[in-house]
Amino acid sequence: MGKIRLDIDEISNELLAPGNIFWQKCSGVEVMISAKEGIINFKLLSKLEALNEVLLIDESEQSTIQNKFQEVFSQYKNKIQLRDKIKWRNDFNWLLNEYFYKTSNSQYDLDQIFWKIFSDIQINEARTYIDRDKDLFMRSISIASSYTLCAFLIGYYDEKFLRVLYNS
């Protein structure tokens, strides 16, 4: 996979960089601005974009994967009858199998998906937490994702309970 041109609007709702972000100087030299999973420096990115500088990001299918998970969970959440919920739960589990159990995708990637599905924290508030202590915040997200995933896998079907569990 190569690099693609970055549109800041595409990552405006991200907590951390979904891939390595680079500034391509006029000379063609690429300078890394944010590493994958690193804090995104939006002030610097906005400044560079205003100067019409070229910004690049490592090409990744992560946003496509996140959208698939969100779509399946949205279908799951909208069902009322248990047999319908079981069908969408199985689809969600199939996605987990395909994108996590059979691959080398990281806990970080799973955390990002669960953050988008379950978090009630506003993005600005999350950035404040990250500014205070990124490691503590990321550990908290990993723990919340792990607990919520375990609850989902052992048969908790109430998405409101899963949301409360995640945000607790």
Side-chain angles (χ1 to χ4, degrees), residues 5-127:
R5 194 170 184 121
L6 173 67
D7 179 5
I8 293 179
D9 293 337
E10 292 175 4
I11 61 168
S12 63
N13 289 325
E14 298 290 339
L15 292 175
L16 303 170
N20 295 325
I21 299 175
F22 299 91
W23 164 37
Q24 187 177 39
K25 293 184 176 185
C26 296
S27 64
V29 174
E30 295 176 358
V31 177
M32 186 184 296
I33 296 173
S34 293
K36 181 178 180 183
E37 303 176 25
I39 297 170
I40 300 172
N41 187 340
F42 281 101
K43 288 180 185 176
L44 178 58
L45 289 177
S46 297
K47 187 176 180 180
L48 290 170
E49 186 177 54
L51 295 170
N52 292 323
E53 295 289 339
V54 176
L55 299 172
L56 304 170
I57 188 166
D58 285 335
E59 193 172 21
S60 169
E61 65 176 23
Q62 187 59 28
S63 62
T64 305
I65 294 168
Q66 288 176 3
N67 290 338
K68 286 180 184 178
F69 274 93
Q70 286 177 297
E71 182 181 317
V72 169
F73 194 80
S74 177
Q75 291 293 327
Y76 168 84
K77 187 169 73 171
N78 291 331
K79 300 303 176 193
I80 296 172
Q81 293 188 354
L82 189 56
R83 73 170 178 265
D84 295 332
K85 283 196 173 287
I86 289 171
K87 182 246 184 260
W88 287 103
R89 182 178 176 273
N90 289 339
D91 288 356
F92 193 87
N93 287 339
W94 182 85
L95 287 174
L96 285 170
N97 187 44
E98 290 299 306
Y99 292 109
F100 291 99
Y101 306 144
K102 290 183 178 178
T103 68
S104 61
N105 285 333
S106 68
Q107 175 73 33
Y108 163 79
D109 297 318
L110 184 67
D111 294 345
Q112 288 289 80
I113 290 168
F114 274 60
W115 167 266
K116 289 185 176 191
I117 291 174
F118 294 109
S119 180
D120 290 334
I121 299 173
Q122 299 298 316
I123 197 77
N124 293 335
E125 190 178 351
R127 288 188 181 133

Side-chain angles (χ1 to χ4, degrees), residues 104-167:
S104 61
N105 285 333
S106 68
Q107 175 73 33
Y108 163 79
D109 297 318
L110 184 67
D111 294 345
Q112 288 289 80
I113 290 168
F114 274 60
W115 167 266
K116 289 185 176 191
I117 291 174
F118 294 109
S119 180
D120 290 334
I121 299 173
Q122 299 298 316
I123 197 77
N124 293 335
E125 190 178 351
R127 288 188 181 133
T128 301
Y129 291 136
I130 288 172
D131 289 342
R132 281 193 222 146
D133 191 341
K134 175 192 170 214
D135 293 332
L136 177 62
F137 186 76
M138 292 309 298
R139 278 194 306 266
S140 299
I141 288 177
S142 288
I143 291 167
S145 297
S146 297
Y147 280 159
T148 306
L149 177 60
C150 287
F152 186 74
L153 291 176
I154 63 172
Y156 284 90
Y157 287 92
D158 184 13
E159 63 281 348
K160 291 175 188 163
F161 169 79
L162 295 171
R163 183 174 294 281
V164 168
L165 176 64
Y166 181 87
N167 288 285

